[in-house]
Amino acid sequence: GPEATSRIAMSLPKLEFAKTGRSTCRECGEGIAQGVMRVGIEAFVAGRVCDCWSHVKCSLGAMFLEKCTAARGKCKATDEPFKKGDVRLAVCSKAHKAYYSMAGMGDAVRPIVEASEGEYTASDITGFLALSKEERAAVCAAVDVKATASAKKRSRRGSDVTIAEVTVAAVKDEKKDAADTPASANRRSGRRSSAVSAPPAPATPAEDEEGEEAGDSDG
């Protein structure tokens, strides 16, 4: 029902343009400029629940895959308990972690991978190569990854390139636009809309909401 859908949405990492320039990336320690895409997870900090923010690339670089060593904890997306031996993915923001099962990691991670505009794939996540072939295939499928014939050949030749390559919508669009003639591109230019809304206009002090950057002041 609506309540369950709302709860799941609240349990997934947030992906948004920074509303102000006051937040700080928990991973690299640098500021996140207004209008820059950022990833946030809820965490209990200094006695309150707040959002802990990271740059998209920093968030992807901090993620890791692992196998549960015990039947402990639940998936943040599905609320299903983990069993010993289950593969789970951790979305991190400094010391804070949100864990997702194979069934929940797609909804949690796919938008973040897509926001990297092709720079990250499932195989770049720490711990990916430690998984079995079947487990790697399941992780790739969860975040919309497919194997290409050329990548498979390079893998068989011993190349460092893995068989996993992310199918990112932005990359598809760029290839399609490159193949179009200038005339056809001009005809479509008036009808094409962006998949992501434009960065927000600079906020005035009166527009800032007290709780908007709840996790920003402490890093």
Side-chain angles (χ1 to χ4, degrees), residues 90-167:
V91 178
C92 310
S93 184
K94 204 171 182 178
H96 307 291
K97 303 176 180 66
Y99 291 98
Y100 298 92
S101 66
M102 198 72 78
M105 68 176 67
D107 289 338
V109 178
R110 188 185 308 117
I112 305 174
V113 170
E114 291 178 347
S116 77
E117 299 182 342
E119 292 192 29
Y120 276 83
T121 71
S123 61
D124 293 317
I125 300 175
T126 300
F128 178 84
L129 295 178
L131 304 178
S132 69
K133 180 179 179 180
E134 292 75 17
E135 290 165 343
R136 292 198 299 269
V139 170
C140 289
V143 293
D144 283 344
V145 178
K146 70 177 182 179
T148 64
S150 58
K152 287 182 178 179
K153 290 179 181 178
R154 291 195 296 271
S155 181
R156 285 197 293 269
R157 289 198 299 267
S159 169
D160 289 335
V161 179
T162 68
I163 66 171
E165 294 185 0
V166 170
T167 304

